[in-house]
């Protein structure tokens, strides 16, 4: 078999093992590879449409965030992690520079099939650790009120709601929320 065919076969074998209930392979966090960013935009847009009824405006918003990240990437203050399970992307998170002392957490997501494995918590923990490492004093994030699972995750990670603002976006009436936390010693 060619290299791509071997890779496809190994993926299929892992899927068979998972379906049969054999030892569930764990996940890993890695740096993004070519194609990941488009996939992340695609999956988040699909999931927001399926889970919340949001329209295509969300895809444009996500694509703009990713394009800005790729064009202006500064490795001294920015990073992206991709969660992978059985050679499939199952989540991601970004840290971007908000200002000289503030990091911003962006685009956290976990695939429905991988929820409950601690991936979201681990992605947030990695983001917080990185922000501390690069000298950020605080971390902020923006989300919307319907994303209750994500909000619970942010609360457990020490974020506090600091601002709410109603807005019409993605074909919905929403309440945007800004959450923040200090990055002092844990």
């Amino acid at each position: 078999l060619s290299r791509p065919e071997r890779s496809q076969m190994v993926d299929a074998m892992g899927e068979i093992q998972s379906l049969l209930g054999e030892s569930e392979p764990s996940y890993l966090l890695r740096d993004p590879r070519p194609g990941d960013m488009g996939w992340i935009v695609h999956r988040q847009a699909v999931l927001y449409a399926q889970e919340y009824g949001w329209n295509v405006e969300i895809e444009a918003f996500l694509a703009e965030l990713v394009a800005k990240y790729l064009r202006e990437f500064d490795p001294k203050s920015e990073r992206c992690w991709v969660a992978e399970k059985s050679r499939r992307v199952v989540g991601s998170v970004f840290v971007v520079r908000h200002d000289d002392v503030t990091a911003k957490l962006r685009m956290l997501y976990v695939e429905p099939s991988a929820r409950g494995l601690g991936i979201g918590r681990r992605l947030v923990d990695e983001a917080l650790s990185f922000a501390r490492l690069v000298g950020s004093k605080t971390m902020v994030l923006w989300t919307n009120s319907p994303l209750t699972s994500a909000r619970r995750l942010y609360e457990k990670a020490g974020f506090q709601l600091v601002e709410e603002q109603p807005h019409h976006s993605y074909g919905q009436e929403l309440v945007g929320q800004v959450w923040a936390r200090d990055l002092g010693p844990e």
Side-chain angles (χ1 to χ4, degrees), residues 48-160:
Y48 283 128
Q50 289 173 344
E51 295 177 3
Y52 303 103
W54 294 1
N55 67 20
V56 296
E57 294 171 26
I58 187 63
E59 191 164 3
F61 175 71
L62 296 167
E64 289 167 1
L65 291 178
V66 167
K68 182 177 182 193
Y69 175 83
L70 292 171
R71 276 194 309 271
E72 300 174 13
F73 177 66
D74 179 0
K76 290 179 265 167
S77 60
E78 300 180 322
R79 179 113 192 252
C80 171
W81 292 263
V82 173
E84 184 178 282
K85 184 175 186 304
S86 301
R87 295 186 165 179
R88 292 199 170 102
V89 174
V90 295
S92 66
V93 72
F94 294 74
V95 172
V96 297
R97 182 180 180 274
H98 183 67
D99 62 33
D100 288 341
V101 295
T102 309
K104 189 168 194 176
L105 187 140
R106 304 296 316 242
M107 295 180 63
L108 172 69
Y109 101 100
V110 177
E111 288 286 343
S113 64
R115 292 176 186 164
L117 301 176
I119 294 172
R121 183 185 72 247
R122 172 103 185 273
L123 287 166
V124 170
D125 289 347
E126 291 292 331
L128 289 166
S129 294
F130 175 79
R132 277 188 199 95
L133 181 69
V134 299
S136 296
K137 303 298 181 207
T138 59
M139 179 173 269
V140 297
L141 64 91
W142 180 80
T143 190
N144 283 285
S145 58
L147 282 67
T148 55
S149 294
R151 288 190 354 252
R152 280 194 300 270
L153 185 64
Y154 301 142
E155 283 180 295
K156 286 180 184 174
F159 285 88
Q160 295 181 343

